[in-house]
Amino acid sequence: MKTIKRTTYTKKDFNNVIIPTWQRWKNEKNVKDLSEAVYENGQLRDVLVCVTKDGTKILTDGNHLYNAIFNCLKYRQINVLEKKVKNNEEARETFISFNTRGKSLKTIDYIVSYAGSGNKDYKKFLIEVMKSPNNLKEAENVYGKLFTIPALINIFLGQPFNVKKGNCKLHKNHNRLLEVVEYLGQNYLYNGKLIKHLNKNGRAMKLNGGSIIPVFEQIKNNNKIMCMSNSEILDLLIDFTFYHYNSMQNCTFTKDAICKSFNVYLKGL
C-alpha cells in the first residue's frame, strides 16, 4: 500500500482537516515572509497532512504556509503531501522528525508539542509560567526583558537537550519558584538603584536573559535563599549586580562570567 501521495487541496478541503494542539504557534512574520516568497517564486514545498487509519486528516506541517497561501494571497488551491499513519501520536512524531532534520524547531516548539499530546508538566509550564500564550510574540512578553523564553525553560524545566526528549519535570518547589520569577520580572529592571547604576555605567551592566540562568540554578536549589521574602531576593540580586560590576576591571554580564561570580558571592554571605 502506498503511504505517501501528492495531491492538491482547496481551502474548503481543509474544513475536514484537524489543526492539532501540538502544532507550533503561529508566527505572523513567518506567514508574511512566506506569502511574499510564494508570490515571487510559487509554492516550492508541500503542506504535510497525515491521514490516520480511521481517515482522520491532521495538518502536520505547513500551517504557516496554509495561512500564507489561502489567507494572505487568496489562492484557490495548495499542494499537499498526504502521509498515512496509524494515529495522532505517529502524526506528532512525523511532525518532530520532519522539522528536526531541518533544525527548524525551537525548544519551545517541543514543549508545545509534548503539552498538546498530554505531557502534564509541559502543559503546566505553558499555563502557569508562560500564561497560556497563543503565539510566540505573546510568550516573549510574559516577564519583560529579564526572563527570555530560553531562560524560563532552563529555570523551570532544565537543559534544552533534555527538554526536547519530553521527560523533564517541573522543580519540586515550583510554586515558590514561580513567585520569585514573577516578582523579579516586575521589579528588577525598574529598581531605582539599578536604574541610577545603568545610567552611570551603561545599560548592559545588569543581569540579562542569558546570565539570569546560572543565577537561578543556584537560587532554586538554595533553601536559605528560597526562604527569603521576594523583596529580600530582589535586594540580593541588586547587591550582586553591584558586586559583580565592581569585582571586574573589564566587566561583562555574560553567562559564564556571572556563573563564576555568583558562586563566589554566595560563599561570602
Side-chain angles (χ1 to χ4, degrees):
M1 181 184 295
K2 194 172 182 180
T3 59
I4 296 176
K5 180 180 75 172
R6 280 188 164 83
T7 184
T8 58
Y9 281 22
T10 64
K11 189 172 184 179
K12 186 176 181 180
D13 290 327
F14 278 91
N15 290 340
N16 297 317
V17 178
I18 295 172
I19 299 179
T21 55
W22 40 256
Q23 261 279 6
R24 72 179 81 188
W25 289 321
K26 187 168 75 172
N27 184 315
E28 294 299 339
K29 184 179 184 302
N30 286 356
V31 173
K32 182 176 181 296
D33 290 345
L34 277 171
S35 65
E36 292 173 355
V38 172
Y39 181 77
E40 292 175 3
N41 305 298
Q43 185 184 343
L44 299 180
R45 64 182 179 87
D46 298 328
V47 167
L48 177 62
V49 173
C50 282
V51 184
T52 66
K53 284 185 174 181
D54 63 6
T56 300
K57 294 183 176 181
I58 303 168
L59 179 55
T60 305
D61 191 78
N63 191 29
H64 287 93
L65 186 57
Y66 161 85
N67 279 278
I69 287 178
F70 285 131
N71 297 334
C72 294
L73 297 174
K74 308 297 182 183
Y75 288 180
R76 293 185 178 181
Q77 63 181 27
I78 192 170
N79 295 326
V80 171
L81 181 68
E82 286 187 349
K83 183 179 187 300
K84 292 186 178 181
V85 295
K86 293 179 181 179
N87 49 35
N88 181 74
E89 181 57 24
E90 187 176 339
R92 191 190 69 80
E93 291 173 356
T94 301
F95 163 73
I96 295 293
S97 175
F98 190 81
N99 282 278
T100 51
R101 289 179 183 177
K103 306 295 183 183
S104 63
L105 284 184
K106 297 180 179 180
T107 308
I108 190 66
D109 294 322
Y110 281 88
I111 293 172
V112 172
S113 178
Y114 282 117
S117 64
N119 186 302
K120 293 181 180 179
D121 283 88
Y122 287 31
K123 186 174 182 179
K124 189 173 182 179
F125 172 82
L126 291 177
I127 294 172
E128 297 187 2
V129 179
M130 303 307 298
K131 309 301 182 187
S132 300
N134 295 307
N135 52 58
L136 195 59
K137 186 176 180 180
E138 288 182 9
E140 289 172 344
N141 295 324
V142 176
Y143 300 108
K145 296 181 180 180
L146 180 59
F147 295 101
T148 61
I149 294 174
L152 291 168
I153 293 171
N154 270 271
I155 290 168
F156 286 93
L157 288 172
Q159 295 293 326
F161 177 78
N162 294 319
V163 173
K164 291 177 181 180
K165 294 180 179 179
N167 53 17
C168 287
K169 300 292 184 183
L170 291 170
H171 193 266
K172 60 183 179 181
N173 209 355
H174 168 74
N175 291 336
R176 176 63 185 134
L177 186 60
L178 182 57
E179 288 178 3
V180 175
V181 167
E182 288 179 337
Y183 185 84
L184 293 177
Q186 294 168 358
N187 292 280
Y188 175 79
L189 295 176
Y190 303 99
N191 179 270
K193 292 180 181 179
L194 182 68
I195 291 173
K196 288 180 181 179
H197 158 72
L198 298 178
N199 289 338
K200 180 181 178 181
N201 301 306
R203 304 301 298 175
M205 296 297 105
K206 64 183 186 302
L207 295 172
N208 54 59
S211 60
I212 197 68
I213 294 173
V215 168
F216 262 86
E217 283 301 312
Q218 294 286 339
I219 287 178
K220 68 184 182 182
N221 295 312
N222 188 310
N223 290 331
K224 181 180 177 181
I225 297 177
M226 290 294 279
C227 288
M228 292 179 176
S229 67
N230 291 339
S231 61
E232 286 174 334
I233 295 176
L234 172 63
D235 290 342
L236 183 145
L237 290 194
I238 296 296
D239 184 64
F240 167 69
T241 301
F242 299 152
Y243 165 86
H244 179 73
Y245 176 78
N246 291 317
S247 66
M248 300 178 65
Q249 187 173 359
N250 297 310
C251 183
T252 63
F253 277 76
T254 63
K255 187 176 179 180
D256 289 341
I258 290 297
C259 183
K260 296 176 183 178
S261 181
F262 196 57
N263 279 329
V264 175
Y265 174 79
L266 290 180
K267 290 177 181 178
L269 291 182

